[in-house]
Amino acid sequence: MSFFIKLIETTDSERRALENLPKVHAMINHGLTLEEYQTFLHDMYHIVWNFCPIMASAASRCSDDFRQVRYRLYESIESEKGHEAWVFDDLLAVGGDAEKAKATLPSLPVQSMIAFNYNAVERVHPCSVIGMLYTLEVVSSVYGGRVATAISRAIGIPGPRGFTFLDSHASMDLDHMAKLTELVKTIEAPAAQQAIINATRVNFWLFGQVFSQPVFNQPATARAA
Amino acid sequence: MNLSEMLNLEMPKKSSYGQRNTQFDLEFEPDTGTIWAWFNPTGTPCFSLGLLNDIRAHDNMLETNKGCVPQSGQLHKANYYVVGSNIPRVFNLGGDLALFILLIKSREREALAHYAKLCIDNIYPRIRNYGCPTMTTISLVQGDALGGGFETALSSDVIVAEESAQLGLPEILFNLFPGMGAYSLLARRIGMRAAEDLITSGRILPASKLYEMGVVDVLAKDGEGESTVRSWIAKNQKRRNGFQAVFQARQHIHPITREELDRITDVWVDAALRLEDRDLKMMGRIVRSQMRRMDNFAAKTPQAALAVAG
């Protein structure tokens, strides 16, 4: 059995737990309010801003035994760098204070997610980064497809301005997922496998916690007001 | 008054057994030797890897014990193995479509084949009555049984369905087909032509219609599925040996082999990997409609709310 199957099996309950959060259901099917979307983009800005440094940190720590991971990370850094500007522009387009969002700390779950991923690649195993990549690919490729449309409809802003980041990640994922799967299947060292499994579990869980913030859980009447 | 009351039947005692905290709740009724097994999946009521593994763990134990159930330090022979669902108005919605999307986008033949094998590892032993020719298997369908949920219902000797239950094979909507036994099991009950018609139309039919077609064996009034199963067991108790022989004969007349099921899953994996972006988008729409449906249930019933929350 390939490590990809093991990864799918051992992290399936965390994926399904994220899938089954009522707020995630609501976002996928009915979008978000403007305030929720602005909060979401604020968090996404900091995730994306730290994405490349985390990958760089992991790449610098990969031994030659994991050179395929290192090379894949170089490619990912090249393709992902600058995407925080998309989020910044989206935030501006939907009336958010992008400069303030840039200068303000993200939510506690996102601070935890960023801190966890730096620590995991620097202190546990550099291959932990694959758990972060896998989680974000699954979220965008499996669940992200219609989110931009649902949010656009819900807040009455037609797009594409304001939705560049979500739209681009929902459409570019087909090859991403297949390439990532190929990379996962090359990992044979038990310590690296365990680090990837743990990082995947933690990232799925923390991503779900983003939606536990009060702004995402106001009663419908408060949201309408 | 339901059938149990009309026949003045006393409700036999059931007690839980098996591992705790699984997605497959188990009870055993020593008086009639009946296993009552209930799907209790967290989240969308589909065949997740967790549920499939929990079912397999139990059924492996049952096969190892030659159809006996361990309880109070003793092994009890199981005469009947009923499978139903703890989720209101849903038997099972079939395969884990979100997982399918993930695996198809990953172009992961091995992982898709692994999922399919796990399904067959569960269905095939049931078709063979877990190697116990004296055990009758019963599907108790009290809500919608779609795709793999319908296939599972078909894998039992007897299908008892409540009138408002809807059953069908919607896979054609996203350009696929039900590959884990539906064709073989339906063809055995209603012939190949009618089986293909159900598969290629993707029609979802009420239990009453499927009863007329000979797919459902016993039609129960809504809310009376469990008592109808009890009544069926009580009514046929004296003829149990004859019934079991008929079910065995069915397997000789229309045998379904593991090899046949495995080959069909190979076809399914190939077909799944040929799906295009528009097909996956349709699959995604169905995932979302399943989510909406569970939200609606959760809003209406506290039990479903707990199930959705996992």
Side-chain angles (χ1 to χ4, degrees), chain B residues 203-218:
Chain B
R203 270 183 298 153
I204 312 291
L205 297 173
S208 53
K209 176 70 181 168
L210 289 163
Y211 175 72
E212 286 168 19
M213 291 168 67
V215 176
V216 167
D217 299 295
V218 181

Side-chain angles (χ1 to χ4, degrees), chain A residues 2 4-5 8-9 15-16 19-20 25 28-29 134 138 141-142 146 173-175 177-178 181 185, chain B residues 42-44 46 48-49 53 96 98-99 102-103 105-108 110-111 114 277 288 291-292 295 308:
Chain A
S2 77
F4 180 73
I5 294 177
I8 292 274
E9 286 219 328
R15 175 187 65 80
R16 282 177 57 82
E19 174 188 302
N20 290 305
H25 279 208
I28 291 171
N29 284 300
Y134 173 78
V138 169
S141 69
V142 178
R146 198 180 157 272
D173 61 77
L174 266 171
D175 275 349
M177 199 67 225
T181 302
K185 286 160 78 175
Chain B
T42 53
T44 307
C46 62
S48 65
L49 290 167
N53 280 320
D96 186 343
L99 180 64
L102 167 60
L103 299 182
K105 285 192 171 183
S106 301
R107 304 202 184 95
E108 242 313 293
E110 189 190 356
H114 176 77
D277 200 35
R288 290 193 294 277
M291 285 177 169
R292 277 197 300 275
D295 289 342
V308 170

